[in-house]
Amino acid sequence: MPVYKCADISDADVLVEIYNSAFYDDFIRYGQCPAYGRSRENMEQSVKDYPKIIAYDQGRPIGVISYKEEGPGKYYIGCLAVLKEEQGRGVGTQLLKHFMSEHPDWNEITLVTPKDNERNIRFYTERFGFEITGEEDDGKVTVLWFRLSR
């Protein structure tokens, strides 16, 4: 069972490591990925702009969820990242469930993911019931918008 900690700027190096592991394949696939290859300074700013919750397993950081409150009960998930070697083990599911339990006021959660990432699409739609609400081009990548409401 993971232990969760709210990130602060001293966690920037740990966060860069998680993001780079989780998004390396996207960077190779698309030739770009805003979550991959961030500098420490960029990640420190990101921690200030988007609160982050880090999941630890036996003291080892294995995943992170970042978010932004966009109004009362409305949250945008900027990133849900799990170390590559930990993917497929339920860490992302546990992180999103933890986020929802820590924000019981949520009534709408939105996020984006690449249109051709079937694994992510199934994760959000089948496991959590998100609906696809639109798509847009983001550089070289077409992304889908997702929303979960209650």
Side-chain angles (χ1 to χ4, degrees):
M1 189 72 158
V3 173
Y4 302 97
K5 173 190 175 256
C6 290
D8 60 41
I9 60 170
S10 70
D11 295 308
D13 290 332
V14 166
L15 293 165
V16 167
E17 180 182 332
I18 295 169
Y19 278 46
N20 284 348
S21 174
F23 295 108
Y24 177 75
D25 290 346
D26 285 350
F27 175 72
I28 296 301
R29 181 180 206 164
Y30 304 115
Q32 67 179 36
C33 179
Y36 179 81
R38 291 185 175 192
S39 67
R40 181 180 214 296
E41 294 76 22
N42 181 272
M43 187 60 77
E44 288 173 351
Q45 186 60 51
S46 181
V47 169
K48 294 174 188 174
D49 296 340
Y50 285 85
K52 299 176 188 340
I53 301 168
I54 304 172
Y56 290 85
D57 182 31
Q58 299 179 358
R60 178 176 167 249
I62 58 171
V64 62
I65 188 168
S66 72
Y67 61 94
K68 187 167 198 150
E69 188 170 3
E70 296 190 316
K74 293 186 178 194
Y75 295 91
Y76 172 74
I77 302 297
C79 182
L80 177 58
V82 176
L83 290 175
K84 179 134 177 100
E85 65 269 19
E86 297 293 331
Q87 292 176 8
R89 297 184 181 166
V91 176
T93 298
Q94 292 173 9
L95 265 166
L96 190 50
K97 285 182 177 179
H98 176 78
F99 169 82
M100 294 162 89
S101 71
E102 289 292 307
H103 298 86
D105 67 323
W106 79 268
N107 58 43
E108 181 180 274
I109 299 172
T110 57
L111 57 90
V112 299
T113 200
K115 182 178 181 177
D116 64 354
N117 191 324
E118 294 178 18
R119 183 177 176 189
N120 283 5
I121 294 167
R122 282 193 310 275
F123 174 80
Y124 292 116
T125 59
E126 294 175 12
R127 190 154 301 150
F128 286 96
F130 279 80
E131 62 181 331
I132 298 169
T133 59
E135 72 178 64
E136 68 182 49
D137 289 330
D138 184 10
K140 299 177 184 175
V141 182
T142 300
V143 296
L144 297 175
W145 278 92
F146 290 77
R147 181 179 61 227
L148 182 64
S149 301
R150 64 173 182 179

